[in-house]
Amino acid sequence: MTQTSPRSVIRGTGSAVPSTVVTNDDIAKIVDTSDEWITSRTGIRERRVLEKDQAASDLARRASERALEDAGLAVEELDAIIVGTCTADYQFPSLACVLEAKLGAKDVFSFDVNAACSGFLNALSVTDMFIRSGRIRNALVVGTDVLSRFLDWQDRSTCILFGDGAGAAVVSASDNGDRGILSARLQTDGSYAETLYIRAGGSKKPATLETVEKREHSIYMNGKEVFKVAVRSMEEISRRVLDEAGICVDDLSLVVPHQANRRIITALASRLGIPMEKVIVNVDRYGNTSAASIPVALDEVRRQGRIADGDIVLLNAFGAGFAWGAAVIRF
Ligand code: ACO
């Protein structure tokens, strides 16, 4: 008798964003910009910024508790916690270990994956491998980032783009072969490492008074280059996962893309031939929340009842590295 490997199903989701709202008009009081410029170039109207006494793991905890509740799963039943983040509480240990303790999880393994804005998709794809291999049955997959702490609030080309948030999904093994992650793929091109990065604070250039004075601990980005490669790469990888899953564009109920910029999302939808009614956009309310953007958007649409059993959903992301990925899921 042949035995098929289990599939990974998303059993519950949760999200958390800070309560402090920063509008484009608020930013226009700090740098030379305007609501009109930001809205027309990015689609962003406001973003959330984390309160000073909180860290990324606090947001992750709130999103995770909501996902566990939604899934009806006790924390003791988790086998693994895998977190996509590039703004962990500490250089080490991982945010996943901090989160594990905050949730009171026991007898699990936990680790972070750092793929910047693609962090959630990377974490989900790694989780899928553990589940398919039979090694684990229940995982908490989290995307959380607090990029407001790594922005130069004097650089109008970057400080307008990002916001803070966390999203989580409880992913479980299912032996019903129809549902779950049908295909997932990751890709990177490290030759673009310095197109979008934080110059100092790592082993190459540790923090000194000089790096602080030169404002090298915040995001540097060549926005035009990111835009171009993002659209092309997300289109290619989306087509690959759809082909592998034997799904055509018309079969998709929804697309939940990484929320970097409304123009990237509409360009991608147009190249894939997907009508915007099927494409989720919440970048207007949260800005780019990096690894949190997909799980926050996914949680919102699930809670709005926009995903029914049997619906097929495409996720795709792109970010620093460059690192990108896509997954196609039947709910
Ligand atoms: N307000 C007003 N003017 C601005 C602002 C601002 N906030 N930022 C830049 N400008 C000015 C520039 O100084 C420049 O002025 P100049 O012509 O006098 O030199 C002018 O606007 C045009 O600047 P560009 O950088 O060419 O503007 P562009 O149209 O490319 O838009 C943007 C910039 C929005 C960053 C765009 O390149 C973009 O969206 N790139 C994608 C980047 C992204 O989303 N990164 C997120 C991380 S990666 C990811 O998640 C996919």
Side-chain angles (χ1 to χ4, degrees), residues 51-119:
E51 292 71 28
K52 284 204 165 60
D53 61 347
Q54 302 266 300
S57 65
D58 297 309
L59 276 179
R61 175 194 189 159
R62 279 157 51 199
S64 300
E65 285 173 346
R66 287 172 188 161
L68 285 163
E69 191 188 345
D70 184 42
L73 194 85
V75 71
E76 296 77 24
E77 293 176 81
L78 287 174
D79 303 311
I81 300 175
I82 304 182
V83 179
T85 186
C86 60
T87 56
D89 294 17
Y90 309 113
Q91 195 88 19
F92 64 84
S94 68
L95 189 150
C97 285
V98 176
L99 178 62
E100 171 188 323
K102 284 188 174 173
L103 291 172
K106 298 262 182 286
D107 215 7
V108 290
F109 63 88
S110 308
F111 61 89
D112 291 353
V113 294
N114 181 347
C117 298
S118 294

Side-chain angles (χ1 to χ4, degrees), residues 31-34 37-38 41-42 117 155-158 160-162 196 221-228 230 234 258-261 263-264 288 290 318-320 322:
V31 290
D32 181 14
T33 190
S34 65
W37 195 98
I38 301 171
R41 294 295 215 292
T42 69
C117 298
D155 175 7
R156 66 177 182 175
S157 68
T158 51
I160 57 161
L161 296 173
F162 298 95
L196 173 53
M221 178 181 71
N222 176 341
K224 277 196 190 312
E225 193 68 11
V226 171
F227 196 109
K228 214 170 53 192
M234 281 197 285
H258 169 49
Q259 307 285 313
N261 179 319
R263 282 160 62 219
I264 292 182
N288 180 347
S290 187
F318 182 91
F322 289 151

